[in-house]
Amino acid sequence: MGYKNEKLAEEKVFKDPVHRYIHVRDKVVWDVIGTREFQRLRRIRQLGTTYLVFHGAEHSRFQHSLGVYEIVRRIVDDGFSGRPEWDEDERLITLLAALLHDLGHGPFSHAFENVFDLDHENFTQAIILGDTEVNAVLRQVSSEFPQKVADVIGKTYPDKLVVSLISSQIDADRMDYLQRDAYYTGVSYGHFDMERILRVMRPSEEQAVVKSSGMHAVEDYIMSRYQMYWQVYFHPVSRSAEVILTKILHRAKKLYETGYIFNQHPVHFQSFFDRTFLLEDYIALDEGVMTTYFQMWTKEKDPILADLSSRFINRRLFQYVEFNPATEYTKTGELSALFEQAGIDPDYYLVVDSSSDLPYDFYRPGEENERLPIFLEMPTGELREISRSSDIVDSISGKRRTDHKLYFPEDLLEKGKDENPLYRQILHMLRG
Ligand code: ZN
């Protein structure tokens, strides 16, 4: 018996607040969880800066990764097992792809990737295929195994059914994060009947489909995603924290490039500023490391770096107003000029931020991150795309909602408005 089929002498369980227990029997799964690259996910929050709004949202990518694994394990071991459409040999590839799908996420992913022009998906591939502990464990299964797992995550794996379990519009990833994020933020939306969905999921050639009797559970899932996006993921205050975080990194990079002497030299960021970083530099970063720099940078001589760091650490965030770029495009230019005159650098203190989401889409050919539509299996065996049967899904499908906000340091302007008439003018214009 090879490593591939090796089971633990006794099943291991992780206690989990969302799925109650995460079950591990396969030796390879257990060994991967123990690697340094996987353990690193404990030090990266699932929701970035959201904890500054919903204080419970301290949960990590480690928990979410185990959760996605557990949902997929239940689908393949309980739901699909013994079904002629399901190839048992793909079980292990599917489980590992679920476990490792977010492996390359960096600290405060969104802001970090944005400033350094990186993509966590490339890092996921690089960690699975590179000289890492994860790779060494996967290679014990077979020399091609790491590549197969990476292909599922990269959506190039030939069996589309396997890919759809990790990445589609009703995948284990979404099913876990919606419930987990709802649990940790404490909001009442985000809940849906996953047990029912798992019970009616069926393997089909191209993807997992849902028996038509489960349609209402799926409607509930799609609506809960819609609400979570606008109530939690795009919350304007956590976006404010993200704006500040982005600007801290921009400022530090700029200072580094102009030869500024830091009190606390950014050793961990240096290779990212220079774009000479190695995989190990990326793995060495986590949110603890980043927050430590921000804490120390509150004492820097550069007033912008010190102020932004202090704003992040002490949660003195930017205020925001609604902003319509279509009709108010001249406003940012005028405001920018006023900021300059008033001695406030608009590059760091006047920021437009936009968020948008597509709650459900029936067909988006060729678009980046294209996701498969959800199909219902009708009693006749025919597959029907869900928005053709559900009025609720039809009413929101394909509709992208975008929200623009303009962020600025209201506290600073308020404090100085009596001495500086320009501050008053700026406030007036922003609130106008
Ligand atoms: Zn995920």
Side-chain angles (χ1 to χ4, degrees), residues 83-103:
R83 289 190 169 267
E85 306 89 334
W86 174 243
D87 180 350
E88 276 295 335
D89 277 352
E90 308 213 290
R91 177 181 170 276
L92 213 51
I93 296 170
T94 316
L95 290 183
L96 267 306
L99 189 66
L100 300 176
H101 78 285
D102 276 344
L103 187 63

Side-chain angles (χ1 to χ4, degrees), residues 46 61 64 68 101-102 173 177:
Q46 176 69 13
R61 295 222 174 250
H64 163 64
V68 176
H101 78 285
D102 276 344
D173 184 22
Y177 74 62

